Amino acid sequence: FFFYKLQAGLQRDIRVRELLTEAMEQDGFELFYQPQFQADTCRLIGFEALLRLKNQQAMPSEFIPIAEQNRQILEIGRTVLKKAVQQLAAWQAKGYNLQRIAVNFSNQQLHDATYPAYVQALLEQYKIKPDSLEIEVTESIYLDKSLLTLDFMEQLLRLGVRLSLDDF
């Protein structure tokens, strides 16, 4: 009995890995934007970018852990960031006064040594003020006091990017 459940779970993981590979090759990701409001004024101040598969064959709670396991999250994280920055630039070009756009950041992305330079290049390319970008990190990243983590976060802060805690 247990063997069949285990086998079904492994088969599903393999299928989700295939879906992720297809999504990366065929622009199969889309972002949904959850509004963020200032609590005291109820004024819209920005959005959080939420990643979904266009074909809806797997939910983020299923595909994100698998993407982290096989390190596809590095490329996916860059794709999310680029799409979010492009969208913020488009909204600002239309005259919308949004203060920021937030993107989630995976622990695995700490191993992407050129990510801060990528962030800076996107901000310059799309003429976005650095404090308009908020990178949401989990408390486990925030509590990690390793030199790698501290240096990585310091690089982002030096760019002027906002960091916030997510899932606390």
Side-chain angles (χ1 to χ4, degrees), residues 132-145:
S132 295
L133 177 62
E134 182 176 298
I135 296 178
E136 295 186 355
V137 299
T138 61
E139 69 276 1
S140 60
I141 292 175
Y142 181 74
L143 294 173
D144 179 4
K145 301 296 186 205

Side-chain angles (χ1 to χ4, degrees), residues 85-148:
V85 168
Q86 288 172 327
Q87 183 62 64
L88 181 59
W91 283 331
Q92 289 179 348
K94 290 181 179 181
Y96 299 132
N97 185 21
L98 298 173
Q99 292 180 9
R100 69 176 163 265
I101 195 154
V103 295
N104 290 301
F105 187 82
S106 165
N107 295 15
Q108 293 298 316
Q109 288 177 270
L110 289 169
H111 302 288
D112 184 354
T114 61
Y115 186 81
Y118 182 73
V119 169
Q120 182 176 13
L122 283 176
L123 294 173
E124 290 172 0
Q125 178 182 353
Y126 292 98
K127 297 174 180 47
I128 299 294
K129 293 186 298 183
D131 67 348
S132 295
L133 177 62
E134 182 176 298
I135 296 178
E136 295 186 355
V137 299
T138 61
E139 69 276 1
S140 60
I141 292 175
Y142 181 74
L143 294 173
D144 179 4
K145 301 296 186 205
S146 71
L147 290 177
L148 170 70

Side-chain angles (χ1 to χ4, degrees), residues 13-35:
D13 284 359
I14 290 168
R15 178 64 186 134
V16 171
R17 288 174 199 266
E18 291 169 355
L19 290 170
L20 289 172
T21 299
E22 290 169 14
M24 288 190 303
E25 292 171 353
Q26 301 169 9
D27 190 31
F29 293 109
E30 63 184 328
L31 297 182
F32 288 81
Y33 296 94
Q34 179 176 327

